[in-house]
Amino acid sequence: MNFMPAKILENEAQRLRAVDRTGVMYLDQDNLYEIYCFLAKEITGCAISWTGLIDDKNQFCLARDGLPENAGKIFPRQQTFCQYALSSPNPLIVENMQKDKRFKNHPFVVDGSIKFYAGFPIVTGDGYTLGTLCIGDSKVKKLSSSQLKLMIGLTAKLAYQLQIQENYKNKSAENLMIILEKISKKIEKISSIEVKIILKFFLGRTLSQSEKTFLIKKALAEKSGSDLKITKFGNELRNDLSINTGILKTIKNMTSKDYNLSKMLQKLEDL
């Protein structure tokens, strides 16, 4: 008997829209998420960990730890363990996959590559499961209550990070639209390249001679010796663009070599 895929969820259309809104599918940004896989292995003592989101066709691996480098990052949804974790916000724990009717016929279970699996759903604030943070091992295992608590907290932190990133992207797009609209009201028939020049000037970036000439021509700047000085009109526009863009906390690429694991675990316990 072959491995059977999980049933499609009743809210699958809404869930897929939530996955799409994250904007992280099929992007190589492992450095943002690999800490979660590293910590999952440390917490549970499992040999492998991976995390990824699932759309209608594939599971895309955001990061992994312990899997071969040539394993790839895209796995057909119907061949994944994690598809079964989408139906509930609670962790899917399978201590011995060879005894579980859902998984015992999976090729990786049949050949003994993996016996233990735990998938922790990455759930949005409005209740949609985007994907999972997973751990696996070739040996039968049982997680303690403290390990479960830490893994649930770690997954909640990952879900929060994805939400913050989504909010930041949306806010950035909104702010860009506001900037373009405000500049267009002040300066007629302006191109996107010219908008970039203006923003470079306001940010204090190095300008070419042609860019300086453009700013002077548009009365945004005037010569001051060998440098440019912002004009009253330029200053009014700069102040007009002083909109609240929000603050996204820097997500550092933390590794076992430069990060104190005990501090991270303490933070997870406090979630």
Side-chain angles (χ1 to χ4, degrees):
M1 185 176 179
N2 295 326
F3 174 67
M4 299 297 292
K7 293 181 179 179
I8 299 298
L9 306 177
E10 291 184 2
N11 68 348
E12 181 68 0
Q14 296 94 325
R15 192 195 71 81
L16 290 174
R17 285 195 287 271
V19 170
D20 185 60
R21 286 196 299 269
T22 66
V24 301
M25 288 292 287
Y26 307 112
L27 297 179
D28 290 325
Q29 298 178 321
D30 299 53
N31 62 314
L32 295 180
Y33 311 106
E34 57 192 11
I35 183 60
Y36 295 99
C37 297
F38 165 74
L39 287 174
K41 285 179 59 180
E42 292 294 309
I43 291 168
T44 64
C46 285
I48 58 174
S49 176
W50 68 99
T51 184
L53 305 193
I54 299 177
D55 63 15
D56 59 331
K57 294 183 176 63
N58 302 305
Q59 179 181 38
F60 176 70
C61 189
L62 297 174
R64 61 199 174 181
D65 194 330
L67 290 171
E69 288 298 323
N70 61 356
K73 300 188 67 175
I74 300 174
F75 306 96
R77 171 175 172 161
Q78 293 192 343
Q79 297 176 21
T80 66
F81 303 138
C82 303
Q83 60 181 306
Y84 280 93
L86 297 178
S87 60
S88 171
N90 300 317
L92 174 59
I93 313 292
V94 186
E95 295 177 0
N96 188 344
M97 302 185 79
Q98 293 178 336
K99 294 184 178 181
D100 191 293
K101 63 181 182 179
R102 295 166 295 181
F103 302 109
K104 65 181 183 179
N105 294 310
H106 192 284
F108 291 162
V109 177
V110 172
D111 70 10
S113 296
I114 184 167
K115 289 183 180 179
F116 171 82
Y117 166 82
F120 293 80
I122 302 169
V123 184
T124 66
D126 46 3
Y128 298 113
T129 301
L130 304 173
T132 52
L133 174 60
C134 306
I135 46 176
D137 205 290
S138 60
K139 301 177 182 178
V140 174
K141 295 182 71 73
K142 184 178 180 64
L143 298 180
S144 67
S145 58
S146 61
Q147 287 174 321
L148 282 172
K149 181 181 177 181
L150 285 169
M151 284 298 302
I152 290 170
L154 183 64
T155 309
K157 190 173 180 66
L158 173 54
Y160 179 70
Q161 177 178 321
L162 289 169
Q163 184 64 63
I164 290 294
Q165 290 172 193
E166 179 184 331
N167 292 345
Y168 178 72
K169 290 173 185 176
N170 291 340
K171 189 64 178 177
S172 296
E174 291 172 5
N175 286 336
L176 180 58
M177 291 175 65
I178 293 172
I179 287 172
L180 293 173
E181 182 180 355
K182 288 186 174 183
I183 291 178
S184 297
K185 285 182 179 179
K186 295 282 187 178
I187 304 173
E188 295 182 354
K189 298 179 180 180
I190 188 168
S191 69
S192 58
I193 293 176
E194 291 169 338
V195 170
K196 183 178 178 181
I197 295 171
I198 294 171
L199 295 179
K200 282 176 65 178
F201 176 51
F202 289 163
L203 291 170
R205 305 282 173 81
T206 302
L207 300 166
S208 67
Q209 188 56 50
S210 61
E211 289 172 335
K212 292 179 180 179
T213 301
F214 164 78
L215 293 167
I216 294 171
K217 182 179 179 180
K218 295 297 182 180
L220 293 165
E222 58 188 15
K223 286 185 177 181
S224 177
S226 59
D227 296 322
L228 284 186
K229 177 183 178 182
I230 193 168
T231 62
K232 180 183 178 184
F233 174 61
N235 200 42
E236 289 174 352
L237 178 58
R238 181 173 62 180
N239 289 334
D240 199 25
L241 296 180
S242 296
I243 55 180
N244 180 17
T245 59
I247 299 174
L248 177 67
K249 290 183 179 180
T250 302
I251 303 165
K252 296 183 179 180
N253 176 18
M254 298 175 290
T255 67
S256 58
K257 294 181 179 179
D258 59 13
Y259 194 73
N260 189 323
L261 179 61
S262 61
K263 290 182 180 179
M264 182 64 181
L265 296 179
Q266 182 60 51
K267 291 180 181 179
L268 291 173
E269 290 177 329
D270 295 336
L271 283 175

